[in-house]
Structures are given as C-alpha cells and as structure tokens.
C-alpha cells in the first residue's frame, strides 16, 4: 500500500471504513465529511494541496485550529464539532497502523477534549399519537398502502432507518416462526419476531405488488428507498396527524422515534431491559438504559397514562 497521505486516504475511504471497520452508512458519511473538510481547510488556510499533506499537518495544534474554525466560522454545533474530531481520529488511528510516523499524531489528537453538548431531547410516541399518524394514511392508494406498511414494519421491528433501507423480502420468514433478520451496526445481525398483524400486512403487500425478493421498500423510481425518503414520509403524516393530535406539535418526529417508541412500549408492557437490549441490537445494556431515559418525567407520565 502507498503510505503517503493520498495513498492511505484512498484505502481508508474505499476499503477500510466500509469493509474492515464495519461502520454504519451514517458514520461513514460523517467521517468522509470530516476528512474532506479538513483537506479543504488545509488548502484554503495554508495553500497545501492534498498530494503534499503529511503527518506534520495533523498536529494537535492544527486539528484544534480546524475545529475552532468550523465552530466559529462555519457555525456548526458542538455535536458536529465532536463528530468531525471523531472522523479525524478514526483516520489517524488507521494511519498509525499503516505508517508508524502517524502514531504520535494519533496519541496527541486523542487528548483534544470534546465540547459539552446539550442533552438530546428523547421524544417517543404514545400509542394514541402513533395510531393518529397511521390514521392519516390513505391506504386506498398504492403510495399510501406502501407508506402504511413501511411505518408498521419500522415500529414493529424497531429497526434503525439504515436497517430498514437495507431490508429485502428474502430477509423475512413466515411459518412456524414469523421473523425478519436485520443487518445492523458492525455487520452484525439479529432476528426479530413479528406480530401476526404485521405478518398479515407484509403478505398482503408482497402479493399486491408482486415483491418476492430484493428491496422491501422502494421509491417512486423503483430504486431502494433512502433514509431521507423515509424521514420525509414520516414527517408528512406526523404533520397531518398533529392537526388533531396536538401533542405531536412539540415532538421531533423522525424515523428514530419509531424505534424508541417501540422500545418504550415494550418496557411499559413489562419487557425486561436485557430483552429490549437484544431487540434493539445494543452492545451494552447501559446504552439501552440511557436510550430509554428510565425515570424521566416523560417516562413517568407514560407509565401513569398506561395505568
């Protein structure tokens, strides 16, 4: 392998992060953006072409200057700043294994502290709100029926949006055990068992649109649906539902809210944290605990409403 910066960057982008590191599509995109912005910053600030970049340009001082630049001049949030730092660290970690001269740069870069970020708002839908969204979908139309199935499957499986994008019809099994194999983070998979209601809908969907294999969900151009496409669909129906269900107005309704809502409803119905952890595909149960915000005011209210 060419151990110059351009050579290592090419291998990192084309092969390593996708095949060896097994990172999600969203993480890949964030890491690519971090490297791209850093290279552009070097060019604009110091007139350094990519072919001339070397380990000296990844000093702790340079990286801190770059992070300060995107925060103050590009007005990115503290969270985005931290993501850019993580992307640079990922590359330096890789580079230090390929070319030892990058080892010290990696060690020093790790010393750069993350900026504190506001605690994220962790909304979830109560059953009434979820049903209100479904009620707004006109299932008499082809598009409406597809959207209805999409939202039902996402909720029932608690799949991440990128996991939903990758779903194929052959991933579903019907018979004695109705389930779907979901391919998640780190190229790991988990089997999720489906409710009878969802199985009935999927079978009708498969029959109605003659989908026996390949992409489960497609866009108007018959290409595999994108994460942004799913986000648009859900927001459209949430906006319509908010006209009658006023509590939806103050909630950030995104594909991820379906995942958190399903997990929260499982908890309220008596499922244990280890079961929910496996269902969500979390590596650590601590992630599941923080994900559900056990003890929060929203959770307490949901428990009271469920009672």
């Amino acid at each position: 392998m060419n151990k110059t910066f351009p050579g290592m960057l090419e291998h990192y982008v084309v092969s390593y992060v996708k095949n060896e590191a097994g990172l999600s599509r969203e993480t890949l995109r964030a890491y690519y953006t971090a490297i791209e912005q850093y290279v552009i910053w070097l060019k604009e600030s110091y007139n350094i072409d990519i072919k001339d970049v070397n380990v000296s340009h990844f000093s702790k001082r340079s990286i801190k200057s770059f992070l300060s630049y995107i925060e103050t001049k590009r007005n990115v949030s503290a969270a985005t700043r931290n993501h850019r730092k993580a992307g640079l660290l990922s590359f330096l970690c890789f580079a230090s294994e390929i070319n030892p001269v990058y080892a010290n740069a990696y060690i020093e870069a790790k010393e750069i502290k993350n900026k504190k970020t506001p605690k994220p708002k962790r909304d979830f839908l109560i059953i009434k709100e979820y049903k209100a969204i479904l009620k707004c979908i006109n299932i008499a139309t082809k598009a409406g029926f597809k959207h209805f199935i999409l939202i039902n499957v996402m909720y029932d499986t608690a799949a991440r949006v990128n996991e939903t994008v990758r779903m194929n019809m052959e991933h579903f099994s019907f018979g004695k055990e109705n389930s779907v194999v979901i391919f998640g983070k780190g190229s790991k998979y988990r089997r999720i068992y489906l409710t009878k209601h969802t199985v009935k809908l999927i079978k009708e969907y498969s029959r109605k649109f003659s989908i026996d294999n390949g992409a489960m969900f497609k866009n108007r151009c018959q290409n595999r649906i994108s994460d942004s496409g799913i986000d648009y669909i859900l927001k459209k129906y949430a906006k319509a539902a908010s006209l009658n269900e006023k509590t939806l107005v103050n909630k950030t309704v995104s594909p991820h809210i379906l995942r958190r809502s399903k997990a929260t409803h499982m908890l309220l119905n008596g499922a244990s944290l280890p079961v929910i952890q496996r269902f969500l595909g979390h590596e650590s149960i601590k992630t599941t605990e923080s994900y559900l915000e056990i003890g929060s005011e929203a959770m307490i209210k949901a428990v009271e409403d469920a009672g």
Side-chain angles (χ1 to χ4, degrees), residues 34-74:
I35 299 294
E36 180 184 41
Q37 288 186 349
Y38 192 72
V39 170
I40 292 173
W41 174 77
L42 287 174
K43 174 64 176 177
E44 293 178 345
S45 301
Y46 303 103
N47 198 30
I48 300 170
D49 289 322
I50 187 171
K51 61 182 177 61
D52 298 318
V53 174
N54 58 52
V55 66
S56 67
H57 301 121
F58 285 90
S59 67
K60 183 178 179 179
R61 181 178 179 180
S62 291
I63 293 175
K64 289 181 73 173
S65 295
F66 165 72
L67 296 176
S68 177
Y69 162 77
I70 62 173
E71 189 174 17
T72 58
K73 302 298 183 182
R74 301 289 295 274

Side-chain angles (χ1 to χ4, degrees), residues 74-92:
R74 301 289 295 274
N75 297 316
V76 304
S77 66
T80 299
R81 176 193 184 278
N82 294 341
H83 289 157
R84 297 294 179 265
K85 190 197 96 171
L88 294 176
L89 279 177
S90 174
F91 171 75
L92 288 175

Side-chain angles (χ1 to χ4, degrees), residues 83-116:
H83 289 157
R84 297 294 179 265
K85 190 197 96 171
L88 294 176
L89 279 177
S90 174
F91 171 75
L92 288 175
C93 177
F94 161 78
S96 67
E97 295 176 356
I98 302 302
N99 190 343
V101 299
Y102 279 83
N104 192 57
Y106 173 54
I107 292 171
E108 289 192 349
K110 285 199 298 182
E111 296 174 355
I112 300 173
K113 294 181 179 180
N114 280 339
K115 281 290 185 76
K116 289 185 177 181

Side-chain angles (χ1 to χ4, degrees), residues 119 122-124 158 160 185 190 256 259-268 271-296 299:
K119 192 174 182 181
R122 299 184 184 276
D123 285 331
F124 64 87
R160 299 177 177 93
K185 286 184 176 180
R190 64 188 186 279
H256 204 70
R259 176 171 160 85
R260 179 172 289 109
S261 299
K262 175 66 175 182
T264 302
H265 299 160
M266 289 175 67
L267 183 69
L268 295 177
S272 67
L273 278 177
V275 168
I276 298 173
Q277 175 195 355
R278 291 194 294 273
F279 191 83
L280 295 175
H282 286 160
E283 286 286 337
S284 168
I285 198 165
K286 291 186 180 296
T287 304
T288 310
E289 289 175 347
S290 60
Y291 184 87
L292 292 171
E293 279 197 333
I294 299 171
S296 70
M299 180 67 76

Side-chain angles (χ1 to χ4, degrees), residues 150-217:
L150 169 68
I151 293 174
N152 268 278
V153 169
M154 287 191 72
Y155 171 78
D156 202 28
T157 61
R160 299 177 177 93
V161 65
N162 60 307
E163 294 170 345
T164 305
V165 167
R166 292 198 296 266
M167 280 184 183
N168 286 349
M169 273 303 302
E170 56 266 31
H171 297 160
F172 291 81
S173 300
F174 305 118
K176 187 176 180 181
E177 293 182 338
N178 298 308
S179 64
V180 57
V181 173
I182 294 179
F183 295 88
K185 286 184 176 180
S187 299
K188 295 180 180 180
Y189 68 88
R190 64 188 186 279
R191 183 175 295 277
I192 298 297
Y193 294 95
L194 307 168
T195 62
K196 292 180 180 179
H197 172 69
T198 298
V199 170
K200 182 179 178 181
L201 289 174
I202 294 173
K203 286 183 176 179
E204 185 178 354
Y205 174 75
S206 175
R207 183 172 59 254
K208 189 170 184 176
F209 298 104
S210 301
I211 303 175
D212 298 317
N213 54 61
M216 175 76 172
F217 301 110

